[in-house]
Amino acid sequence: MTTPAAEIQARTLAGYADASKLRQEHDRDWVLGHVPGQPETLLDLGSGIGQLLQAALDRFPTLRQAVGLERSPHRIAEAAERLRPYGDRVVLHAADLNAPEPVPYQPDVVTMTSVLHWLYPTEERIVSWVRGQLAPDGSFLLTTYHPVPDEHGLGGEDEIVADALTALGVVRRDDVPGLFAAGGVLPIATRTRPADDLEGLLGRYFRVAEVHERDAVVTVDSAGQYGHFHAATFGDYYGRLVEPARRPEFFRAVGEAAWRRQEERGWVSHMPVWLWRLTPGDQRALSREE
Ligand SMILES: C[S@@+](CC[C@H](N)C(=O)[O-])C[C@H]1O[C@@H](n2cnc3c(N)ncnc32)[C@H](O)[C@@H]1O
């Protein structure tokens, strides 16, 4: 299959299976490797194209129900296709995790990989919702990314986009934070809260049973590969900062900016990722709400 142009990919978030090999794929086995025991019901939040659900179904024969909650209809359709062979062991729901509705399951495992920053600044809603849904002896496993923010709150992907916008002559480097603000783009390094802040937030609802950290290093084989990774991962989140006619140029420039970094440093980006395993336990927030 030929890869569609990045600007088309961005509209439908297509090509994620390939793109996620660069960064997000590593989270799946890492998270599933920390699931205690043999789960019967697993709920994956922001389930994307269903890769974690598939890996869980293959790994845990005890899994009777694998449930995905996801907002993008394109991704739900791709997940449904991927998971068809598993029949009624799989259920996919369209859902907005910013306003989660009760679901008729009491999962013994809830997972959420590479999603929490998209729910900023109202992440507490999903955390409290999981606390209410999870079985009393269950585990909530999630991964969180921690790019280092600069004084304007930009870091990680924001910097690559800033390089691209500057190279295209859209804006001077110093004016990038202003352009983001005017275009309604909250920097990703602001969305990804520091681990200490998250610990406070998560600890209001859960006991932190385990925390692990790894360094996620992204390297690519070409500028084009990174342009496609960006489009499949971020869609038009940043692309909307340029007019539609310039989007093909924008994705090309993002790829070229990433490639320049790789040539200079040997990698494109590099950031800590945390894996949290949380268990119900601390009732502080729940009792405060009563
Ligand atoms: C970076 S992808 C991660 C996908 C998958 N969990 C993985 O690890 O490969 C983020 C996913 O979260 C979904 N998402 C973002 N905001 C959401 C929301 N408010 N409600 C539901 N899903 C959301 C996106 O559509 C996307 O599929």
Side-chain angles (χ1 to χ4, degrees):
M1 205 173 79
T2 54
T3 312
E7 65 280 11
I8 296 168
Q9 236 186 314
R11 257 178 264 147
T12 58
L13 294 169
Y16 189 75
D18 262 352
S20 64
K21 288 191 183 118
L22 287 185
R23 184 153 65 197
Q24 301 91 335
E25 184 180 71
H26 306 282
D27 286 8
R28 276 168 232 146
D29 279 345
W30 197 32
V31 161
L32 293 178
H34 286 87
V35 169
Q38 295 292 317
E40 293 188 3
T41 304
L42 180 146
L43 191 60
D44 187 33
L45 305 176
S47 46
I49 59 173
Q51 294 154 302
L52 184 141
L53 292 174
Q54 181 178 27
L57 286 156
D58 290 343
R59 189 175 183 131
F60 301 115
T62 50
L63 202 55
R64 285 188 288 113
Q65 197 80 96
V67 183
L69 265 55
E70 167 60 49
R71 183 175 59 183
S72 154
H74 294 289
R75 290 211 161 148
I76 294 175
E78 194 172 337
E81 194 56 40
R82 172 184 306 274
L83 298 169
R84 197 181 307 284
Y86 299 87
D88 59 12
R89 289 174 77 201
V90 176
V91 187
L92 300 171
H93 292 284
D96 179 359
L97 302 176
N98 279 315
E101 303 273 345
V103 290
Y105 312 97
Q106 192 179 50
D108 37 17
V109 179
V110 176
T111 51
M112 182 160 74
T113 55
S114 318
V115 174
L116 191 69
H117 50 279
W118 291 119
L119 309 181
Y120 177 93
T122 55
E123 305 97 315
E124 188 151 354
R125 291 187 198 155
I126 194 66
V127 176
S128 113
W129 181 89
V130 174
R131 180 65 179 81
Q133 292 281 155
L134 190 66
D137 57 351
S139 289
F140 176 26
L141 294 116
L142 73 156
T143 56
T144 58
Y145 284 67
H146 301 282
V148 178
D150 67 12
E151 70 275 24
H152 302 290
L154 274 67
E157 198 69 15
D158 306 317
E159 288 174 359
I160 296 167
V161 170
D163 288 355
L165 292 169
T166 312
L168 284 177
V170 171
V171 71
R172 287 185 315 124
R173 188 67 177 78
D174 289 350
D175 296 333
V176 169
L179 181 74
F180 274 31
V185 172
L186 201 55
I188 212 82
T190 300
R191 290 180 162 279
T192 45
R193 293 183 195 263
D196 283 351
D197 292 2
L198 276 183
E199 188 162 10
L201 191 159
L202 299 171
R204 289 206 280 281
Y205 295 87
F206 291 98
R207 185 177 78 82
V208 179
E210 291 176 62
V211 175
H212 304 275
E213 188 181 339
R214 73 177 173 88
D215 192 22
V217 183
V218 171
T219 57
V220 281
D221 297 329
S222 65
Q225 189 190 13
Y226 198 86
H228 287 290
F229 163 78
H230 178 94
T233 300
F234 296 96
D236 278 325
Y237 183 69
Y238 295 103
R240 65 186 139 140
L241 293 171
V242 299
E243 57 200 80
R246 295 198 75 184
R247 302 253 166 95
E249 262 181 278
F250 170 74
F251 289 111
R252 235 182 350 263
V254 167
E256 283 161 7
W259 186 247
R260 279 195 298 278
R261 283 172 173 254
Q262 170 145 330
E263 288 194 319
E264 283 161 23
R265 307 164 193 201
W267 38 264
V268 178
S269 69
H270 187 343
M271 71 185 73
V273 186
W274 286 45
L275 162 58
W276 309 76
R277 186 168 74 81
L278 310 169
T279 55
D282 192 333
Q283 299 283 327
R284 274 180 299 151
L286 296 177
S287 48
R288 228 193 0 256
E289 279 177 357
E290 283 163 8

